[in-house]
Amino acid sequence: MSSRHTTTIAGSLLTASFSAVMILSFTAVADDTGPESGKGGKAVDEAPAGVRLTTELPERISVDNSSEKASITATVKNGGSKESDSIRLLVVGFDGLRVKNVEGCTAIAAKDLPEGSNSGFSCAVGKLAADASKSYDVDATFDLGKTGKICLPVQDAAGKKTFWQQGPVPFGTTNPSPNAPATPLLLGTDNQPAAPGGDELPRTGAGDDVLPLGAAGAALLAAGAAGLWWTGRRRPRPS
């Protein structure tokens, strides 16, 4: 076999190997959700003795740059020593993060959504045994030109008490990847859009570019008839 022919084959194999490495790398980015975290969570109403309810979200998610689709796992846990009464988990999206579906859960009507949110689902968890957890697959979209937040409250079945609330906590990146197939986002990070003038995030509504937990709390308490919750109170306006 001539040395020229040998060189051509070797070059083709090298190109194929490089392409395979690139594909595997992108697949790893898309599938890597990382460990789960309770970042942005806090206890609200006191849970029954022996019951300790919390939630977790993945530290990292990936958004498809073409479809804007993202998958998120929302987990509710009972880290206590006793079984809980019937509880429910709510999954609510804000700004650029829109919750499209939560497996086994019911959509919250648009008129009953809290101020500033764009979507939400209510999940009837039922009783949760001691040291047990239950996870839900969340289908979402993320507009990478905006910030995006998610919130996971855990309530009693009637929605009168909130034992735990994670968020609204942001997902985002300070290093956008517009030319890649997917953009990895980190929990607890404000999104920085990849666009001219991206140093200033676009407004998504009057006054909701920054949504304090307390302000969101008042909005959801006002929707008590729909069984929605939240923590905190609106700051009194000066007279």
Side-chain angles (χ1 to χ4, degrees):
M1 183 180 293
S2 68
S3 59
R4 181 178 180 181
H5 186 55
T6 303
T7 302
T8 301
I9 294 174
S12 299
L13 290 173
L14 179 60
T15 301
S17 299
F18 179 75
S19 299
V21 169
M22 292 298 290
I23 292 171
L24 289 173
S25 297
F26 289 144
T27 301
V29 168
D31 292 341
D32 181 14
T33 59
E36 292 191 335
S37 169
K39 183 180 294 184
K42 62 177 291 185
V44 186
D45 295 319
E46 186 176 358
V51 176
R52 182 175 177 271
L53 298 167
T54 59
T55 58
E56 289 185 345
L57 289 163
E59 283 277 9
R60 172 178 172 145
I61 65 172
S62 185
V63 178
D64 186 289
N65 285 346
S66 297
S67 65
E68 297 187 340
K69 290 182 178 179
S71 296
I72 304 170
T73 302
T75 301
V76 56
K77 292 186 172 183
N78 178 7
S81 58
K82 294 184 178 180
E83 181 181 63
S84 73
D85 293 330
S86 290
I87 58 173
R88 67 179 184 178
L89 171 71
L90 302 181
V91 183
V92 180
F94 290 84
D95 304 331
L97 193 157
R98 182 177 294 272
V99 181
K100 306 297 288 187
N101 187 54
V102 182
E103 186 177 8
C105 303
T106 304
I108 299 172
K111 64 182 180 63
D112 296 328
L113 288 171
E115 182 181 350
S117 69
N118 56 46
S119 53
F121 281 74
S122 176
C123 307
V125 179
K127 295 182 178 181
L128 196 58
D131 200 27
S133 65
K134 188 169 184 178
S135 296
Y136 293 87
D137 293 329
V138 180
D139 293 329
T141 57
F142 197 107
D143 183 347
L144 292 168
K146 300 177 181 179
T147 57
K149 301 182 184 74
I150 192 169
C151 192
L152 303 181
V154 181
Q155 301 180 302
D156 63 353
K160 295 182 178 180
K161 290 186 177 181
T162 299
F163 302 119
W164 172 267
Q165 179 177 302
Q166 185 174 6
V169 60
F171 273 107
T173 179
T174 56
N175 185 25
S177 308
N179 297 321
T183 296
L185 303 182
L186 299 178
L187 183 66
T189 302
D190 283 319
N191 191 48
Q192 178 64 59
D199 290 339
E200 182 177 352
L201 293 170
R203 305 296 181 184
T204 57
D208 65 357
D209 51 334
V210 177
L211 184 65
L213 181 62
L220 286 165
L221 283 173
L228 291 176
W229 82 106
W230 217 273
T231 60
R233 298 178 179 274
R234 285 188 182 276
R235 296 176 182 173
R237 295 182 179 179
S239 57

